[in-house]
């Protein structure tokens, strides 16, 4: 048996000779790829910096009786910001990307508030959509709450926990949405975000829970995957009946010989190379659970979609920091999940915790890695940067995880509008 080092050395020598002959092709291509990557990153950053944003606080009505369906209507209206995907020229010469919204739910010792950061051009659209469903709400330009916190965290006083959430399964599989939590009797309705607002309402001085729902309207290309899953469950998908390359050549040769002989007395006939499906006309019987999943997928792909991710940050003083509030919020997101459809999972690269097991490479330089992750997610939250990892959620799913709590929600520190605005009477003397 040959010495493996001789084999490795020989292979390296061949590669070196190959590079000597082709370097004038490989090197320019390699440099071009590096340059194009830096170029795209640079013009994209410039484009994002040129975007004008507006930060609005939404003060919810004092007596919200509408279900999350009202919020779904708002997200459907806000989808109109999507026109079409940027073309090749817009992407590579102007750095253009699709605009996005950042809906935010913020809890601290003073109460629970709702905000939205959006492109300035979409302000009128947001106000019209919200007022059409919640006429008694108030939308006002607000001071960005992140400016009341240090620009760099963690520091000597405060510590943070952070992570991002995306779907655990494929995008077409939906989470548990608000119709599941509804009941015919109003007093028996369950508000799916009440668990989160309840935790936020009980924060002590110095604590804060920030939830950022980043959402970017997209077209309907994402629905194709859902249609493929649906067709597969219905056994509509055509089986791959094409013969292999070698078998195809052999069958084609025999077919040629047969037609060559028959061609004397009749016109040759050629097959399309595919065998008839044995499953043609076969009826597929779905179990009740499978039918439920299928209906849920069809319901999701029938609605408008957003590329979306959730960013969660918990802030507290170092000497009082507790994981209980982190567990409470994480547990609240568990209620949206099911075993047969979809659920939320943490993006492991953003989670500000790393195993302390000594026998794993992940634990190497653990302290430095955790600090770097905390800095990264805090900076990403402050900049409202759209994450690299995201999922596609439909308007019904977005309305489930972000909506204005019902009046039956008992969180005492929800900031609500206690008075109603009205127009003056037409006959008022001036």
């Amino acid at each position: 048996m040959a010495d493996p080092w001789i084999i490795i050395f020989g292979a390296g020598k061949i590669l070196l000779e190959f590079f000597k002959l082709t370097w004038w092709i490989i090197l320019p291509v390699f440099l071009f790829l590096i340059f194009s990557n830096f170029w795209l990153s640079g013009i994209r950053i410039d484009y994002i910096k040129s975007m004008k944003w507006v930060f609005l606080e939404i003060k919810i009505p004092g007596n919200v009786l509408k279900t999350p369906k009202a919020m779904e209507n708002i997200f459907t209206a806000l989808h109109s910001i999507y026109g079409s995907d940027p073309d090749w020229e817009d992407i590579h010469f102007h750095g253009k990307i699709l605009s996005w919204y950042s809906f935010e739910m913020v809890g601290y010792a003073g109460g629970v508030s709702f905000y939205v950061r959006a492109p300035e051009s979409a302000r009128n659209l947001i106000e019209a959509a919200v007022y059409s469903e919640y006429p008694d709400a108030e939308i006002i330009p607000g001071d960005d709450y992140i400016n009341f916190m240090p620009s760099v965290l963690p520091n000597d006083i405060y510590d943070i926990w952070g992570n991002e959430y995306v779907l655990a399964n494929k995008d077409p599989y939906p989470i548990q949405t608000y119709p599941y939590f509804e009941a015919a009797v109003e007093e028996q309705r369950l508000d799916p975000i009440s668990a989160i607002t309840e935790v936020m309402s009980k924060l002590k001085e110095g604590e804060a829970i920030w939830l950022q729902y980043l959402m970017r309207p997209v077209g309907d290309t994402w629905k194709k995957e859902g249609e493929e899953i649906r067709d597969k469950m219905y056994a509509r998908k055509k089986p791959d009946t094409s013969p292999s390359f070698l078998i195809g050549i052999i069958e084609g040769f025999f077919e040629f010989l047969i037609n060559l002989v028959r061609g004397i007395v009749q016109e040759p006939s050629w097959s399309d190379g595919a065998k008839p499906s044995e499953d043609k006309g076969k009826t597929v019987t779905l179990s009740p659970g499978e039918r439920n999943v299928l209906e849920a997928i069809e319901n999701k792909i029938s609605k408008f979609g957003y590329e979306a991710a959730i960013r969660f940050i918990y802030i507290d003083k170092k000497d009082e920091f507790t994981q209980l509030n982190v567990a409470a919020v994480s547990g609240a997101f568990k209620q949206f999940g099911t075993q047969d459809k979809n659920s939320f999972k943490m993006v492991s690269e953003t989670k500000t915790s790393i195993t302390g097991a000594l026998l794993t490479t992940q634990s190497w330089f653990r302290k430095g890695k955790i600090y770097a992750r905390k800095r990264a997610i805090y900076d990403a939250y402050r900049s409202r940067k759209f994450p690299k990892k995201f999922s596609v959620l439909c308007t019904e799913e977005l309305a489930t995880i972000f909506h204005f709590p019902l009046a039956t929600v008992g969180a005492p520190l929800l900031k609500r509008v206690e008075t109603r605005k009205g127009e003056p009477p037409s006959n008022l003397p001036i």
Side-chain angles (χ1 to χ4, degrees), residues 136-165:
D136 298 329
E138 285 187 10
I139 304 176
I140 57 174
D143 296 326
D144 197 340
Y145 59 91
I146 66 173
N147 295 328
F148 299 107
M149 277 289 180
S151 59
V152 175
L153 283 183
N155 57 19
D156 295 335
I157 301 174
Y158 290 99
D159 198 2
I160 71 168
W161 163 279
N163 66 268
E164 293 172 2
Y165 287 101

Side-chain angles (χ1 to χ4, degrees), residues 56-61 64 66-67 69-78 101 103 114-118 122-140 402-404 417:
L56 304 171
E57 180 179 3
I58 304 176
K59 295 185 177 181
I60 62 178
V64 176
K66 292 188 176 183
T67 67
K69 176 64 178 175
M71 202 69 200
E72 182 182 353
N73 294 338
I74 292 174
F75 287 133
T76 301
L78 295 184
Y101 303 101
F103 282 82
F114 297 86
Y115 302 94
V116 57
R117 182 187 185 247
R123 177 175 177 176
N124 291 339
L125 176 63
I126 293 172
E127 291 178 346
V130 173
Y131 285 140
S132 66
E133 297 294 336
Y134 301 95
D136 298 329
E138 285 187 10
I139 304 176
I140 57 174
F402 184 94
H403 60 267
F404 304 138
V417 178

Side-chain angles (χ1 to χ4, degrees), residues 240-249 251-252 271-275:
D240 185 11
T241 56
S242 301
S244 65
F245 180 73
L246 181 60
I247 295 176
I249 292 177
E251 290 181 349
S271 66
D272 59 359
K275 298 178 181 178

Side-chain angles (χ1 to χ4, degrees), residues 12-134:
K13 189 176 181 180
I14 294 172
L15 290 175
L16 182 61
E17 292 297 327
F18 177 78
F19 181 77
K20 286 180 179 180
L21 295 173
T22 59
W23 68 268
W24 56 277
I25 298 175
I26 296 175
L27 189 60
V29 171
F30 178 71
L31 294 176
F32 174 77
L33 292 175
I34 294 177
F35 171 77
S36 62
N37 186 46
F38 279 105
W39 167 265
L40 283 174
S41 299
I43 60 175
R44 188 169 296 164
I45 291 172
D46 290 340
Y47 180 82
I48 293 175
K49 287 182 178 179
S50 68
M51 296 175 69
K52 295 182 179 179
W53 301 89
V54 61
F55 186 77
L56 304 171
E57 180 179 3
I58 304 176
K59 295 185 177 181
I60 62 178
N63 190 24
V64 176
L65 298 177
K66 292 188 176 183
T67 67
K69 176 64 178 175
M71 202 69 200
E72 182 182 353
N73 294 338
I74 292 174
F75 287 133
T76 301
L78 295 184
H79 194 276
S80 60
I81 196 177
Y82 172 80
S84 61
D85 293 326
D87 57 26
W88 187 89
E89 182 179 347
D90 287 333
I91 294 173
H92 293 85
F93 289 95
H94 305 290
K96 188 175 181 181
I97 58 175
L98 294 173
S99 300
W100 68 92
Y101 303 101
S102 178
F103 282 82
E104 300 172 12
M105 190 188 314
V106 179
Y108 44 88
V112 182
S113 302
F114 297 86
Y115 302 94
V116 57
R117 182 187 185 247
E120 192 175 50
S121 58
R123 177 175 177 176
N124 291 339
L125 176 63
I126 293 172
E127 291 178 346
V130 173
Y131 285 140
S132 66
E133 297 294 336
Y134 301 95

Side-chain angles (χ1 to χ4, degrees), residues 3-13:
D3 189 342
W5 289 108
I6 296 177
I7 297 174
I8 295 173
F9 179 77
K13 189 176 181 180

